[in-house]
């Protein structure tokens, strides 16, 4: 992981894929479809803000589709 001047933590796509428990190719599909926001390094590599990744996870877990699959109670 990488930390910038604002103490924000950035992950490589491989690290993000491991956290999400998906393959690297699946994560790249998420990136190219706009489901995950990234920053590009000057060399063209993607970096994912860790907080953005957790926000995306939270949105997915709170979606109506997932709530129907996993009702509370």
């Amino acid at each position: 992981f990488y930390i910038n001047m604002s103490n924000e933590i950035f992950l490589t796509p491989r690290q993000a894929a491991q956290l999400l428990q998906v393959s690297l190719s699946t994560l790249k599909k998420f990136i190219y479809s706009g489901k995950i926001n990234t920053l590009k390094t000057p060399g063209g590599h993607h970096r994912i803000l860790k907080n953005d990744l957790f926000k995306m996870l939270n949105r997915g877990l709170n979606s109506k589709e997932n709530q129907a699959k996993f009702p509370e109670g």
Side-chain angles (χ1 to χ4, degrees):
F1 66 92
Y2 304 90
I3 300 177
N4 69 1
M5 299 294 282
S6 302
N7 289 328
E8 296 173 310
I9 297 173
F10 289 88
L11 304 171
T12 65
R14 186 173 307 279
Q15 291 168 327
Q18 289 173 339
L19 276 175
L20 295 174
Q21 297 181 347
V22 298
S23 68
L24 182 57
S25 61
T26 297
L27 186 91
K28 287 182 179 182
K29 289 177 188 176
F30 291 162
I31 291 170
Y32 295 129
S33 68
K35 292 181 181 179
I36 295 178
N37 294 325
T38 65
L39 298 174
K40 278 196 176 179
T41 66
H45 300 278
H46 293 275
R47 295 295 178 259
I48 302 155
L49 188 60
K50 190 174 181 181
N51 285 339
D52 286 349
L53 189 66
F54 288 129
K55 286 178 190 174
M56 186 208 72
L57 278 173
N58 193 38
R59 279 196 314 267
L61 293 174
N62 289 323
S63 71
K64 292 201 181 283
E65 180 181 314
N66 283 333
Q67 287 176 3
K69 288 180 187 175
F70 306 104
E72 292 185 32

